[in-house]
Amino acid sequence: MGWRRDVDRGPGRRRAPLLSRLRVGHKLLLLVLLPVTGLVALTAFGALAQWEEARTLERFRSAIDVSFATSGVSDAVATERVDAVRARLRPDTATLTARSASRQATDRALDGAVRRADSWPTARTGGELDAVSRQLSAVRVQAGLGALTARAIAQQYQEIQDTLLDTATALETGRPTRAAGRAADAHVAILEAVEAAERERVELAVLLDTPTGRRPAAAGRWSALEEAQLREFRRTTSDRLRAALYQAQFEVPGRAVRAVRDLLADPDPPTARWPSYGGWLADSTARIAALRGIQDEAARDLADTAAADLEGARNRAARDLTVSLAVLTGVALLAFVLARSITRPLREVTAGARALSAGDLSFAVHYAGHDELGDVADTFRELRVTTERLAAEIRSMNSAVDDNRLEHRVDVGQFDGTWAQLLGGMNGTMASFAAAHGRRRKAERELEDIFNLSLDLLCILGVDGSFRRVNPAFERTLGYPRATLLARHPVDLVHEEDRERTRAALELLAGGAELAGFENRYVREDGTECWLQWSARPVPEEGLVYAAARDVTERRRAAREQSALRRVATLVARGAAPERVFGAVAAEVEDLLGAEVAAVLRHESDGTLTVLGTAHGTGREGEAAAREVLRTRAPARVGRSVAAPIAVDGRLWGAVVATTRRTPRPAPDPTPDPASGPVLEPALRPPPDPASGPVPEPAPQPTPETASQPPPDPASQPTPELVSGPVPPDASRLADFTELVAAAVANADSRAQLSASRARVVAAGDASRRRIERDLHDGVQQRLVALQLDLRLAESLVADPSSELGRQLAHVAKGLEDASYDLLQVARGIHPAILSKGGLGPALRSLARRCPVPVELDLALPARRLPERLEVAAYYVVSECLTNAVKHAHARVVTVDAHARGDVLELTVRDDGAGGAEPGRGSGLIGLVDRVEAIGGRLDLRSPPGQGTTLRVTAPLEGPPHG
């Protein structure tokens, strides 16, 4: 066992790999269990992910329950809108009773939706439903007083419907699965289609109530929106609902509605074919009832899909986890049985081999299996016999050496192979034994010469750490004579801060451990310090330690300086704040030069000095040195202070000042040189050097009010002595730091100007939009409402409404009403309220719903709100693109894709219009480019003539900071 330990510690022996230290049984278990365990772990992680998916599906199911309740309120409000318009157009007992009943139904639906929303704490639906309730109360009061026309009543209810539909759409935006997403899209599309049909029914009811001779020709704009939404519904719904929709459209009410639409599209429709007021309401009501039935089926499909997805996720998680645990248990039992059948005979063979290696030839292996282990056992028994014969020959050789019978030789012919070569080598060893003595004496003389001539420090120590022998390099490096070095203990010559580490190193050497790359400080005879790097190897059987050292003082000093410069340069390259760079420069200069005071000063235009970064203040001598730099524009020294100028863009900006200590102090322990080799014992590493660690945070900085001071009064303090002559070496070492300070100042100035410019562009644009919206709402819009009320009052004072004055007043009132509606649409386009309430997804859907051209949306946005500037920029990009597609490109369909991938938002808008758009030809596209680039994004435009237009925007989800 002792021989084995010596081999393991030999210089050419490497540490055995980890797997070779494991037993065979453990390897078999690892071989089988590791992949199975990995598979089970992956399955477990998958099960956890599926449970998380189940929780997401549960939240989605709760959200669609609230959405269904909200859509129920929307249906009730739509019915109330029709009854309110009928009561305004033709008030009688039946219409008034129907209006009262529909109001009660709306209130019941609204109460039920509020209760359902209160059970969904993560949504803000309750507040929005409360706002809807207040709006309904206001509309009912105005309609009851007769202050609103039928068209105005329809417009007020339309705004309430927009709020309810946006709320339902926002609740169904979460799409945990593809099937649930398609079902949600189908439900939202049929909701939008039914609402378009409802608005068409109300608008044509108002139109048909007009006397026959005064009916204006009108084209239905709601039929196009309804068709676009039904096309989206067909694309995402099931075959069953597509068939139901087809049947509803071709039934009698559906055909009657299409006939009316065709009549409206005719530029000169025949008067006789106009439908009656009651006939239109009956046909459209029957058709909408059929569509609402399909809407209810779509809602049930969505609920069933969400429930099926939730149940499937739970079942998959439980099944995968159960199967994985069963597989792991079975494989573990099989691996244990196989390992036991192999390890038992292998353990017996191993014990026999260990006994043989220890010299015990009496151990016998009894295993006689017919497998590979049985062959190993037979080979081991043969090896034991051969080993006994070999041991006898070695004993005879040793007896010959002891008796000085060098002519003795072993009979090699009795052995074969390697054994014969080994014994032949022993015979050669006997023949070379005498010559070895002569060669050894010659080698000792050569080693003595190398020992004395070496420039490195070589020595031999005892196990107690005392010097037994030193070479002349020790005397040259430390300055002590040989006698002093041999008389004193090495620890007494070590710097007092490194003595404990040195004693620990000596204890390790005494215990038999080798030492490499250990560094400590020695005090020379003249009192100066030097750094020595040691490598040592103990020889316990001789009670000695052989060691070699090298003087690394200059190398460490250069390494410390480069490390300090590198840390400051890293701060500058990373764009750190200037005040942090100034503080770091002051701390590094103080540590590198061993200074008492170090600071970064800025020269002000009035001749004062401002301290921007300091380690422990400035001092009078430091300020005097900085003023001397201002006068000479070159490095200067005043007393114990030295200063170097800082130049930024060709002008003198300030100075770096350092004041040396009155009494020298030991330099802090620097970082070991990587080229010196690793330290084998972690406990022997030198204490951490500030030059090798992270840059220290700057010390608390004085304020400019206290730092910027006029020169001190010469009468109150002694004037420091101005030392002339050559610039000291410390000034040249400060020059590298001044260049880094100048770079930091220039970088900070450039970044500040760029950030401020971009922030001003975005802030000015947004502020202008908000100001225009506020002015329109608080000024022009309120004035128009007041004029409209005054005109209605004037109308009521006319005795004969059919007179010329009455007709003129009605015409002016109609114009004021249309102007107020147009102004409301303009104000909404300037700053959309739905963007502030619902976020980017609902705002884009609202844009698509109001666009005259069909818009196909594909949104994959995160549940959390995006930054406000990013949402505003994306909204205006889509709004401008839709406007261009309608006004200039004459597109038939527009596609909007918005996806959040990682930390980037990708927005794409495509149309099939005329193309040929260029940013340089229109201010709208130029404004989009400026807005996108102001938030750190990029805008790409492709618009070949005749092939449509594609606009892509890529912007970070976390935009650049405000300037």
Side-chain angles (χ1 to χ4, degrees), residues 429-451:
T429 301
M430 289 290 290
S432 304
F433 186 74
H437 289 282
R439 289 194 299 272
R440 187 182 66 178
R441 287 192 295 269
K442 180 180 179 181
E444 289 175 351
R445 288 193 301 270
E446 293 173 350
L447 182 60
E448 182 72 16
D449 294 338
I450 294 174
F451 184 82

Side-chain angles (χ1 to χ4, degrees), residues 410-752:
V410 177
D411 186 5
V412 180
Q414 298 181 5
F415 298 88
D416 298 323
T418 304
W419 303 120
Q421 296 176 7
L422 175 62
L423 294 178
M426 292 178 60
N427 291 334
T429 301
M430 289 290 290
S432 304
F433 186 74
H437 289 282
R439 289 194 299 272
R440 187 182 66 178
R441 287 192 295 269
K442 180 180 179 181
E444 289 175 351
R445 288 193 301 270
E446 293 173 350
L447 182 60
E448 182 72 16
D449 294 338
I450 294 174
F451 184 82
N452 292 327
L453 296 175
S454 174
L455 296 178
D456 291 333
L457 288 73
L458 305 178
C459 65
I460 301 175
L461 300 90
V463 293
D464 59 349
S466 60
F467 286 121
R468 299 292 180 87
R469 187 177 179 183
V470 295
N471 69 337
F474 259 97
E475 302 179 64
R476 293 191 300 269
T477 302
L478 299 181
Y480 297 103
R482 184 189 302 268
T484 303
L485 293 173
L486 297 178
R488 300 181 62 179
H489 197 277
V491 177
D492 297 336
L493 305 178
V494 175
H495 192 283
E496 60 182 9
E497 295 181 2
D498 295 345
R499 288 179 180 176
E500 290 300 324
R501 295 191 304 109
T502 304
R503 290 191 182 96
L506 292 175
E507 291 177 0
L508 288 175
L509 290 172
E514 294 185 8
L515 193 67
F518 174 73
E519 297 182 5
N520 60 357
R521 287 170 289 181
Y522 275 74
V523 180
R524 297 188 180 98
E525 187 178 24
D526 58 1
T528 60
E529 301 173 5
C530 67
W531 280 91
L532 298 183
Q533 185 182 67
W534 291 88
S535 294
R537 175 179 296 173
V539 184
E541 59 272 15
E542 297 179 3
L544 299 176
V545 176
Y546 297 93
R550 179 172 296 174
D551 188 355
V552 294
T553 306
E554 292 300 324
R555 186 190 67 196
R556 294 176 65 88
R557 181 179 293 113
R560 290 179 59 232
E561 182 174 350
Q562 292 301 319
S563 298
L565 290 172
R566 183 167 56 253
R567 286 191 293 272
V568 176
T570 300
L571 283 179
V572 175
R574 291 177 178 174
E579 57 271 13
R580 186 181 177 193
V581 176
F582 300 152
V585 167
E588 295 290 357
V589 168
E590 180 190 9
D591 178 71
L592 184 64
L593 302 183
E596 184 180 58
V597 172
V600 177
L601 306 179
R602 182 177 64 198
H603 293 299
E604 305 295 349
S605 58
D606 58 355
T608 60
L609 296 172
T610 300
V611 180
L612 299 180
T614 179
H616 298 92
T618 56
R620 178 171 171 77
E621 290 183 353
E623 295 183 5
R627 298 185 185 281
E628 182 65 15
V629 167
L630 177 62
R631 186 182 66 83
T632 62
R633 297 181 176 273
R637 178 167 57 118
V638 176
R640 295 180 295 113
S641 298
V642 61
I646 301 173
V648 179
D649 294 334
R651 63 181 180 84
L652 184 63
W653 182 84
V656 176
V657 179
T659 302
T660 59
R661 298 180 181 274
R662 297 183 183 275
T663 56
R665 64 168 184 174
D669 186 19
T671 307
D673 183 9
S676 62
V679 178
L680 297 184
E681 177 58 46
L684 302 181
R685 293 184 184 273
D689 178 18
S692 63
V695 176
E697 292 294 330
Q701 307 297 321
T703 61
E705 290 77 4
T706 60
S708 300
Q709 299 176 356
D713 185 8
S716 61
Q717 297 184 5
T719 303
E721 177 185 0
L722 178 62
V723 179
S724 60
V727 178
D730 289 342
S732 62
R733 301 171 73 180
L734 289 179
D736 295 332
F737 289 98
T738 61
E739 295 178 1
L740 295 175
V741 173
V745 173
N747 292 344
D749 184 60
S750 299
R751 286 194 304 272

Side-chain angles (χ1 to χ4, degrees), residues 340-354:
R340 186 174 180 82
S341 67
I342 296 176
T343 54
R344 291 181 64 184
L346 188 60
R347 192 177 299 115
E348 183 181 2
V349 174
T350 303
R354 187 177 292 111

Side-chain angles (χ1 to χ4, degrees), residues 124-189:
R124 295 177 294 179
T125 312
E128 295 174 351
L129 293 177
D130 184 63
V132 168
S133 177
R134 292 195 298 270
Q135 291 177 342
L136 278 173
S137 299
V139 173
R140 291 169 178 175
V141 170
Q142 292 179 348
L145 295 176
L148 298 177
T149 63
R151 189 180 299 276
I153 291 173
Q155 179 62 32
Q156 295 288 340
Y157 276 101
Q158 178 178 337
E159 294 179 0
I160 296 173
Q161 283 290 80
D162 287 342
T163 300
L164 291 172
L165 289 177
D166 289 340
T167 300
T169 302
L171 288 170
E172 295 183 17
T173 52
R175 287 162 168 76
T177 64
R178 182 178 181 86
R182 289 180 62 86
D185 289 339
H187 184 245
V188 171

Side-chain angles (χ1 to χ4, degrees), residues 160-389:
I160 296 173
Q161 283 290 80
D162 287 342
T163 300
L164 291 172
L165 289 177
D166 289 340
T167 300
T169 302
L171 288 170
E172 295 183 17
T173 52
R175 287 162 168 76
T177 64
R178 182 178 181 86
R182 289 180 62 86
D185 289 339
H187 184 245
V188 171
I190 194 63
L191 284 177
E192 299 285 357
V194 171
E195 175 58 20
E198 289 280 5
R199 293 179 182 180
E200 180 185 34
R201 176 170 62 163
V202 173
E203 183 173 329
L204 288 184
V206 176
L207 178 63
L208 295 173
D209 184 65
T210 306
T212 305
R214 296 171 52 193
R215 290 179 182 171
R221 63 181 181 274
W222 300 114
S223 59
L225 178 58
E226 176 191 337
E227 181 59 29
Q229 295 298 334
L230 289 180
R231 185 165 52 250
E232 175 66 16
F233 175 74
R234 295 188 194 99
R235 187 180 66 83
T236 56
T237 191
S238 62
D239 295 337
R240 178 176 57 84
L241 292 184
R242 277 196 291 269
L245 177 62
Y246 181 82
Q247 181 179 359
Q249 288 181 325
F250 284 93
E251 288 179 348
V252 174
R255 293 198 301 271
V257 170
R258 282 203 308 277
V260 174
R261 291 176 179 175
D262 294 339
L263 185 63
L264 290 174
D266 191 352
D268 188 16
T271 306
R273 293 176 58 189
W274 279 93
S276 65
Y277 172 79
W280 163 252
L281 286 178
D283 292 338
S284 61
T285 300
R287 181 176 179 273
I288 291 174
L291 291 178
R292 288 199 186 280
I294 297 174
Q295 172 187 327
D296 295 339
E297 290 294 331
R300 280 192 290 273
D301 284 353
L302 176 58
D304 293 342
T305 301
D309 290 342
L310 176 61
E311 184 65 21
R314 289 174 175 172
N315 292 337
R316 287 193 301 273
R319 183 190 64 238
D320 293 347
L321 190 58
T322 302
V323 171
S324 299
L325 292 177
V327 171
L328 179 62
T329 303
V331 172
L333 292 176
L334 178 61
F336 178 77
V337 173
L338 291 176
R340 186 174 180 82
S341 67
I342 296 176
T343 54
R344 291 181 64 184
L346 188 60
R347 192 177 299 115
E348 183 181 2
V349 174
T350 303
R354 187 177 292 111
L356 182 61
S357 65
D360 183 8
L361 302 181
S362 62
F363 188 88
V365 176
H366 301 287
Y367 181 74
H370 298 287
D371 55 0
E372 288 82 355
L373 292 176
D375 297 338
V376 173
D378 295 338
T379 304
F380 171 77
R381 285 188 283 269
E382 295 175 359
L383 178 62
R384 190 182 68 171
V385 174
T386 304
T387 304
E388 292 176 348
R389 293 171 52 204

Side-chain angles (χ1 to χ4, degrees), residues 13-24:
R13 184 79 170 185
R14 292 192 297 179
R15 189 178 182 87
L18 175 63
L19 292 179
S20 64
R21 296 180 229 163
L22 298 177
R23 296 184 177 274
V24 174

